[in-house]
Each structure stands twice: as structure tokens, then as C-alpha cells.
Amino acid sequence: MMKRKILTISNLTKSYHTKNSETLAVKDFSLNIHEGEFIVIVGPSGCGKSTILSILSGLLEPSSGEIIYHSQTYPLSIGYMQQNDHLFPWRTILKNVMLGLEIQGRATQENMDKVIKQLKMYGLGKFLNSYPNQLSGGMRQRAALIRTLAINPDILLLDEPFSALDYQTRLAVSEDIVSILKKEKKTVIMITHDLNEAISMASKVVVISKRPGKIIDTHDIRLSSEGDSMLQKREAPEFMDYYNKIWKELDVHVE
Amino acid sequence: MSNKEPLKLSEHEEFLIKIKKENFRVHTARISILILFFCLWEIAAELSWIDPFITSRPAAIFDTLVLLNANGELWRHLFITVGETVVGFMLGTIIGTLIAVLLWWSPFLSRVLDPYIVVLNSLPKVALGPIIIVWVGAGLMAVITMSLLISGIITIINVYGGFHEVDQEKIILVKSFGATKKQILQKVILPASFPTIINALKINVGLSWVGVIMGEFLVSKAGLGYLIVYGSQVFKLNLVMTSILVLAVAAVGMYLAVAYFEKKIIRHL
Ligand SMILES: Nc1ncnc2c1ncn2[C@@H]1O[C@H](COP(=O)(O)OP(=O)(O)OP(=O)(O)O)[C@@H](O)[C@H]1O
Ligand SMILES: [Mg+2]
């Protein structure tokens, strides 16, 4: 089955300039992304992962290189989610989730109904009119994801979306989020530090070297697990092979 | 003991009672100090320990108050001073915030104007009094301008500082939705800085009083500041003391009103 190509990144390079230094953060990063893929990027801290996502989201200009979106809809809509949920404490959950639609002038009754339905579906129905500080970390993260999904993006960019959560919540929320994203048939590029998370969520893992970030290797993940849950996937016989391989690739390049 | 079985109080109840007792003692002490102070003042004047001609005395202050109330003067002066203060601090807050928005909007402008703001802030505004009088005339406007200047500059500095403390990632978030500069201001900067602005309000009440009384000392023909200056010039210390007392009550009243307003609003944040 040949999936449609949705994004081509070629030779992406980015340097940061400050008054007395120049930092080469990303060098010659190239990747093809197909519809429905769940790409997870792993790499040592400071290797330029967040930089890559910022550039893909359009918030940052690359120094050189090209990004081509193969999209029927223009402009292609991108959902960008950061490490912290950044729910606004002065807005209710519903109003927080509506933020993107509001900014894009699409806060119609119809879209609002859709958002409310989604909030209900993902267990936040009782909290529509609550303020963020009344929610648990996991619930907040789910609300942040729904806020990102509300604008109906073609591609989702997730920058360590679970790192603010404790282990238990993290497992539950990542499970939720994978199932949400599967149901909504989204293309995802995610960054994580957690190899377990990477292998159990991804359809493809991209390993990046230390700064300046270059691709060391990519792994198409195929797990013959019983079920689809995170824990079941972690029990698949291939899981440890992937884990060891990726771990070694990262380890070798730490020096 | 005579009571065989005293009522057993829970630990929490005992704790509450303890707090109540403590509060009662604090309040009693506070009020006692006030009463003691006035009594001592009166007795000292009565026994000629002090000269009531230059220190006044509570009984005379009370008489003055009654007189001023009867002929309506008290209310006229109070009304004028409170009016000037309210207008001064509202204008200071609004204009200060608007200028802060302008500076946020244009980082270039903000960098250019930075040294001027520093100078204006360091300069004792009372020095500008004579210029203000020349420009806007010796009257109500001069007093309000003085008060506006004092509270406005501080508002600019505080609110602009607040704008810069807004979490950069929140701005990135709305930018990722394609927000325009105006939307960033509306949806993030202003609501996030709301507590800062309310806080500026609180500071400005105090500063506006300073500006207004200073202004009235310099120019005015009415108001509590005028009464104080006039009273001291004609050696009516009773009038001076009475005005100061009324001023103190009015200033506290206004501070409490703003604090109440703040509490009401902040509750929703
Ligand atoms: N605005 C900036 N100005 C200057 N240098 C920057 C800036 N942002 C990032 N860098 C530098 O670029 C490099 C890559 O940063 P980036 O945030 O992309 O790394 P990362 O892989 O996301 O790291 P982490 O895993 O810790 O989140 C780092 O060395 C960082 O110091
Ligand atoms: Mg990062």
C-alpha cells in the first residue's frame, strides 16, 4: 500500500546567531513524510530537535534548505504542541480549546459543537467551564491536544508533549493520545526522550546525532504484539531489538 | 473542679477560638492606641503641657469639623480633592497603559524612548510644577496634570515590564495558530498582564494623592491641600489638623475601595 507523500524536507540547515557566537543547530536534515505516518524523533539533548519542529511549524526561518508541503488544501494547516500545555489560566477549558479557531476567525457555532463533542469524548465533558488549575496534569495535556486538533491540522508537531507528566499519567495519556490521533487519522511528528515511548508509539523512529543534528538512522517500526495498547506493544518480541539498536546508536554518538 | 465534665472541644474548634481571641486582642490594642493618643493630646493641651495654638487639640478639631460640616465647606473641599485624585489616577493608569502598549508594539520606539523615561522617572515631578502652571494655568488642570505625571510614568514602567514577563511560549502558541500582532496583544499580553495593571492601580492611588496634594500646595484655591496651606499661613492650626485628619480618612477609604475592586476581579483569574 503506497501512502501519499505529504511533506518533503531537504537539506534543512539552521544556525542561531547571537552577538558573539554562531550555533549550528541543525545540519542537512532530510526526510520524507507520508500521510498517516507517526514519526518519532529521538536524539541527545540540545541536538536541534525542537529547532526542526519550530522550522516545520513556520515559526522559525531555516538558514538554508527546503520544506515542501504536498497538500491539496492551501495553506496547509499545522498543529504545534509544546512540552507544557500552556492553557491560559484566565480562560475556561472550552475557551482555551477554542483559542486557535478564534484566532483564525473560525469560531462558529458548528466548530464549537464539534469541539464540545471532542471534549466529551475524551473525558473532559464535565470540565467545559472549569479553569485549567482545576484539572489534573493528564487532563490538561488532553485539553491541549484537543486545542491543537480543533483547527483540524493536516500535520501535528508534538514537542515532548508528555514530559511534564509523571510515569503513570504519562503512560495513560500517551495511550489516549495515540488512540485519538489514530481515530482522527493524523500525520504526526513527535519528539521524545523516552525510547520506550518512541518505539511503542511510532510507525517510524528517526535517530539524530548530537549537535549539529543530522540523521543517523531511521527505523520502520513493526511490532507483532497481541494488542494495540502501549504495554502490550512493549511486550512484543521485536521491541527489545529496536530498543537496543537505537540505544547503541545514541550511545555511540554521545562522545 | 466544680464542673465534673467540661465540654470537650475538638482540636479545630480550640484552634478557631484561639485565633478569635488573638484577633480580639489585636483590635482592642489598636483602638486603645488611637483613643489613648487623642486623650493624651487633649489632656496635654488642657494642662498646658503643650501650646494648643501650634499643636491644636482634639476638642477644637471636633468643633472645626462640626463647623465645616455645617457651612458645607468640608464637603466642597473634600469633593474637589477626591475628584482630582480619582481623575488623576484613572488618567494615569489609562494613559500609562496605553503608552506601555505603544512601547510594546514598537520595540524600536521603546529603545529610543528608554533613556527619556528613565530621566522622567528619576526627576522629582514637583520640580515641573511651575512649568505646568505656566502651560495649563494655575487651577484644577495643573493639579490633575501633576497627579497624572506622577502616576503615569510609574504605570508605563510597571505595565511595560509586566508585558515583557509574559511567557514567551504562550506567544509562540498563538503564533502557531497564525495570530497577528494585534491578536497577540488581545489574547495573550493584555489578559496575562491584567494582575500587573490592577497592581499598578493600587500603587497609583497613593501616588495620585501625592500629586494632588503637591499640586494643591502649589496652585489651588480649593481642596484639602489648599486648606492645609491656607490654615498654616494664617496660623489656624485647628484647620490644618482637621484637614489632615479628613485627608487620612479619605485616602484610606480610596485605598480600600481599590483593594476591594482588585479582590473582586482577581477572583476570576
Ligand atoms: N534562540 C536560540 N538562540 C541561540 N541558540 C539557540 C536558540 N535556540 C536553541 N539554540 C541552540 O541550538 C541548539 C539546539 O536547540 P534545540 O532546542 O533545538 O535542541 P533540542 O534537541 O530540542 O534539545 P532538548 O532535547 O534539550 O529539548 C542548542 O545547542 C541550543 O543551545
Ligand atoms: Mg527541545
Side-chain angles (χ1 to χ4, degrees), chain B residues 2 36 63 90 132 154 182 212 237 243 266:
Chain B
S2 54
L36 209 71
D63 290 341
M90 296 273 237
I132 294 173
I154 290 291
K182 190 171 149 214
V212 163
L237 266 298
S243 308
I266 293 283

Side-chain angles (χ1 to χ4, degrees), chain A residues 211-228:
Chain A
R211 190 171 65 82
K214 301 187 293 293
I215 297 182
I216 298 173
D217 203 355
T218 61
H219 303 266
D220 289 307
I221 306 290
R222 281 188 203 85
L223 299 172
S224 52
S225 58
E226 305 266 314
D228 251 355

Side-chain angles (χ1 to χ4, degrees), chain B residues 169-188:
Chain B
E169 295 197 9
K170 286 200 168 75
I171 297 173
I172 290 181
L173 171 74
V174 292
K175 270 191 184 163
S176 82
F177 289 128
T180 59
K181 197 155 189 174
K182 190 171 149 214
Q183 283 176 320
I184 295 175
L185 182 71
Q186 268 178 352
K187 311 272 182 205
V188 190

Side-chain angles (χ1 to χ4, degrees), chain A residues 59 86 90 102-104 147, chain B residues 167 169 177 183 187 191:
Chain A
L59 292 173
H86 293 301
W90 57 86
E102 209 178 294
I103 284 171
Q104 301 179 354
R147 177 184 60 199
Chain B
D167 189 353
E169 295 197 9
F177 289 128
Q183 283 176 320
K187 311 272 182 205

Side-chain angles (χ1 to χ4, degrees), chain A residues 5 33 123 203 255:
Chain A
K5 211 199 277 183
I33 293 158
S203 63
E255 247 55 65

Side-chain angles (χ1 to χ4, degrees), chain B residues 40-79:
Chain B
L40 214 68
W41 189 358
E42 184 65 32
I43 292 167
E46 186 64 36
L47 299 180
S48 298
W49 295 346
I50 54 175
D51 181 359
F53 181 67
I54 57 168
T55 61
S56 183
R57 60 194 288 179
I61 291 176
F62 185 74
D63 290 341
T64 313
L65 213 54
V66 170
L67 182 75
L68 284 178
N69 178 35
N71 64 17
E73 285 293 277
L74 173 68
W75 301 105
R76 188 170 71 88
H77 292 291
L78 182 64
F79 181 76

Side-chain angles (χ1 to χ4, degrees), chain A:
Chain A
M1 176 178 70
M2 197 52 205
K3 285 268 180 69
R4 200 170 64 83
K5 211 199 277 183
I6 189 167
L7 175 63
T8 308
I9 308 167
S10 46
N11 301 316
L12 202 68
T13 299
K14 173 72 191 178
S15 307
Y16 287 106
H17 297 270
T18 58
K19 235 182 204 163
N20 37 28
S21 74
E22 179 180 350
T23 312
L24 183 59
V26 182
K27 197 177 171 217
D28 285 332
F29 182 91
S30 303
L31 191 65
N32 285 320
I33 293 158
H34 299 87
E35 204 169 15
E37 269 188 316
F38 197 122
I39 300 209
V40 175
I41 299 177
V42 296
S45 183
C47 71
K49 303 182 295 292
S50 297
T51 304
I52 293 171
L53 282 208
S54 294
I55 293 172
L56 293 183
S57 73
L59 292 173
L60 200 63
E61 282 289 319
S63 304
S64 67
E66 223 178 6
I67 303 164
I68 303 165
Y69 288 105
H70 313 277
S71 160
Q72 286 123 340
T73 57
Y74 187 85
L76 178 115
S77 142
I78 295 166
Y80 181 46
M81 187 168 152
Q82 298 156 288
Q83 177 173 337
N84 291 313
D85 56 64
H86 293 301
L87 295 173
F88 293 174
W90 57 86
R91 282 177 171 242
T92 61
I93 293 304
L94 178 59
K95 293 207 106 190
N96 260 297
V97 171
M98 291 293 292
L99 181 68
L101 290 167
E102 209 178 294
I103 284 171
Q104 301 179 354
R106 297 196 283 143
T108 59
Q109 187 62 46
E110 190 193 343
N111 279 335
M112 176 135 91
D113 291 341
K114 249 190 230 163
V115 163
I116 293 176
K117 214 171 106 194
Q118 247 173 348
L119 282 167
K120 283 186 177 148
M121 188 149 64
Y122 301 125
L124 294 169
K126 278 201 217 110
F127 297 94
L128 295 183
N129 297 312
S130 307
Y131 286 88
N133 61 8
Q134 295 165 294
L135 268 64
S136 72
M139 287 152 94
R140 293 171 61 118
Q141 214 62 21
R142 256 178 288 159
L145 181 74
I146 297 171
R147 177 184 60 199
T148 315
L149 289 174
I151 58 167
N152 197 22
D154 301 310
I155 301 185
L156 273 162
L157 309 174
L158 310 179
D159 194 345
E160 305 194 39
F162 315 125
S163 56
L165 305 175
D166 64 87
Y167 182 75
Q168 289 283 325
T169 319
R170 187 172 176 142
L171 209 61
V173 174
S174 55
E175 188 100 49
D176 283 353
I177 286 188
V178 167
S179 77
I180 294 173
L181 294 176
K182 259 207 184 123
K183 218 180 291 172
E184 312 277 340
K185 295 200 178 59
K186 295 294 178 194
T187 309
V188 182
I189 307 175
M190 184 176 104
I191 293 173
T192 179
H193 271 117
D194 182 338
L195 289 192
N196 284 316
E197 197 170 276
I199 300 165
S200 48
M201 292 176 85
S203 63
K204 183 191 267 181
V205 174
V206 176
V207 186
I208 298 190
S209 70
K210 72 177 200 315
R211 190 171 65 82
K214 301 187 293 293
I215 297 182
I216 298 173
D217 203 355
T218 61
H219 303 266
D220 289 307
I221 306 290
R222 281 188 203 85
L223 299 172
S224 52
S225 58
E226 305 266 314
D228 251 355
S229 88
M230 293 284 158
L231 286 173
Q232 283 170 322
K233 281 183 166 176
R234 286 179 196 198
E235 249 123 66
E238 304 87 354
F239 192 92
M240 271 334 270
D241 293 339
Y242 285 124
Y243 190 100
N244 289 329
K245 242 193 268 172
I246 296 171
W247 195 78
K248 266 192 200 117
E249 284 169 353
L250 285 172
D251 196 39
V252 169
H253 290 82
V254 158
E255 247 55 65

